[in-house]
Amino acid sequence: MYIRQLQEPIERLRGVGKQLAESYHNLGVNSTGDLLLLAPRTYEDRSKLVPLGKLGDGEYANTVVEVLSHSYFGGKGKRTLKVTIKDISDEGDGKAALLCFGRNFLERVLRIGSQFYLYGVFQRNFHELQSSQFEMLPLKPDGSMPGDFGKLLPIYPLSGSLSQRIVRRDVSAVLASHLATFSEELPPRMIERYGLLSMNDAVRALHQPTSLEEARGATRSFAFIELFYLLLMNRRKNSSPTVQGRAHACKLSVLQRRFIASLPFSLTEDQETVLREICTDLDDEISMNRLLQGDVGSGKTLIAWLSALHVIQSGGQVAFMAPTELLARQHAEQAASWLGPLGVRLAFLTGSVTGKSRKLLLEALGEGRIDIIIGTHALFSPEVTFSALKYIIIDEQHRFGVVQRVSLLEKGRAPDVLMMTATPIPRTLALTVFGDLNISTIRSMPAGRLPVITYLVSNESRQRMYAAVGVEFSRDHQAYFVYPRIDDQGESSLRDVESMFKLLTTSMYPGIPAALIHSRLPEEEKVDILTKFRKRELKFLVSTSVVEVGIDIPNATCMVIEHAERFGLSALHQLRGRVGRSDLQSYCFLVYESQLGEDAKKRLMVMKESNDGFHIAEQDLLIRGPGEVAGTRQSGFLKLRFASLTEDIGQIESIRNEIDMILASDPGLVDLGNAVIRDVLINAPPFDETAMES
Ligand code: ADP
Ligand code: MG
């Protein structure tokens, strides 16, 4: 079995309830297979003893200590426990203090005289070694070290209610029941030539490495797999990448013309052009593999619907996939009001569609009684089958992992694929990685749009901003107030949003209806809040960055981003793109802390000076430098989990050659377009060494 075929929903794992499942979904982890493909951000080395006495500033201790005394510091009501400890390990000496912010209950746990295993990062303050980020575990009854000591621990990306402990628990559970059952994803010859780990070794070493070298080996193996799939998917035989302008041959179909006639506005020139480019491809025998890029608000979704009509007209089925339930729902509602009147049969499928209605829906889909299905990753599930899947549209494509996307392709016979993104791909990168991919670009905004005016607001001068937003309320316009996402520190930043909400609703804007929305709210509640906001029953939303993608509420004219310095450029641009979506003048307020780093300052200046997503993407690359590995991985245009486009770029050519060889070994595969992937990956004849030689 291939890892990506491990499709058991993550919520079926013991201990994973609804809330944890949603947090996993936010990370793009929907199935147990996805969990195994979750790349650790880094590893914590707890294999070597590091006593307190030898610590430098900012270094991690990994040792055994005894509690000496307790004391308190700080004013009334804000007292914080301080625990003094001494090292008692074999090589141990040295003392230190643990500052237990918000954890005064530790007084009862860390009893004076008792001994613990300690792991934590220390600073030197006032000639004292101090830590506020530490872990203490009691020694086992026989005096030996507890579980985590001596290990190399993976540190995973987190979201919502997840903790390292929970993710490690779940990964171990999945690993335990599937150890050594995975098929190779790469031809044996490649594994050998590049010194990669076998699939089963790689999975284990990724999550439970015995050394850092082994962990690096695992990451490298997965990077190869990822690039292999990516290049395979982006491969398109016999096509010259089209520039804008190739489109002419394609005639609009009846449904398309009726839809355009029903719109209250006309298409922009760029929309016309890309629509024709896409339809020309759809008519072509060779499968389309096209990226549609256009700035936030440029009207990509409309093009998606229009192009879908082309396929529906000729009897094919369409799958439209969005990264979140919220977004899928918004798209489905819009499609219902736009396409429904044309007689198009629509369906909506997410994890929350269950029971009888799910069964009926899947039946109808399998029998071809549904023309277009709109949904989330739920569309990947094995039980979803189509009678004639011809066209796949992926919104916010960078949110889906490379390997995930393969699963959807496998559902059709050489389906056409349109990927949409608001984050343009820098040209140099596009040529290297997407050499075979065709790109359509919408550069202009719909007529009548005014550029969003952006203000940088220092923490001290926020009163004027509140007043300005108040004026917008009096004009019956709406606003978003956004906080950084609830992250590893979880609780504390949630408290920030909550206290902000209280401040805004009581002192700033009393009597104005508002809601708090964050990633830990149940899905139905989020949907409910957004519906009310859309109907203008709510005037403003205070949120963590859940509004980041895709939300389209044209009457909202203010975007206030708190701690703007903590956001990356592409996130800021996405957030700002939630306003300025009509002919109303919109405003974006970037509130920053006074102590700004150099890069943060540059980012905010870029935002102030430009509304152009293409310019911003290039500046982003400049500021971060292409050499910054983590940056490249997180950047908007490609969700690579293992490969780094800068470090592994040297491999790309070799992998491309390998793919050419595989395809050359069976010329029958070549003409099938995307079906090549299906055959290569599912039936896997080319993975057989003998088949390759013959
Ligand atoms: P994107 O997905 O590119 O961010 P959307 O497709 O959500 O943008 O479009 C943003 C808004 O602009 C939507 O409300 C949409 O109905 C509207 N829109 C799309 N095309 C046009 C157009 N040609 N003229 C006016 N409004 C448009
Ligand atoms: Mg969109």
Side-chain angles (χ1 to χ4, degrees), residues 297 300-301 327 331 395-396 420 550 578 581:
K300 294 184 293 296
T301 322
L327 211 54
H331 285 317
D395 194 16
E396 313 283 346
M420 304 202 284
R578 296 311 109 214
R581 301 176 78 85

Side-chain angles (χ1 to χ4, degrees), residues 265-268 271 294-303 330-331 334 338 395-396 420 422 442 446-447 449 550 552 554 577-578 581:
F265 46 74
S266 46
L267 299 188
T268 63
Q271 280 175 318
D295 216 339
V296 280
S298 62
K300 294 184 293 296
T301 322
L302 186 72
I303 295 306
Q330 173 184 288
H331 285 317
Q334 197 185 52
W338 274 353
D395 194 16
E396 313 283 346
M420 304 202 284
I442 305 182
R449 293 282 168 82
D552 181 35
R578 296 311 109 214
R581 301 176 78 85

Side-chain angles (χ1 to χ4, degrees), residues 46 117 137-140 144-153:
R46 301 194 185 186
Y117 159 60
L137 291 171
L139 297 189
K140 295 214 187 117
S144 65
M145 288 288 215
D148 287 345
F149 180 80
K151 286 195 185 151
L152 213 56
L153 289 181

Side-chain angles (χ1 to χ4, degrees), residues 287-317:
S287 307
M288 169 170 81
N289 191 17
R290 187 171 277 278
L291 183 74
L292 172 56
Q293 54 179 24
D295 216 339
V296 280
S298 62
K300 294 184 293 296
T301 322
L302 186 72
I303 295 306
W305 302 137
L306 267 166
S307 60
L309 288 176
H310 201 67
V311 172
I312 293 169
Q313 176 95 58
S314 52
Q317 288 179 305

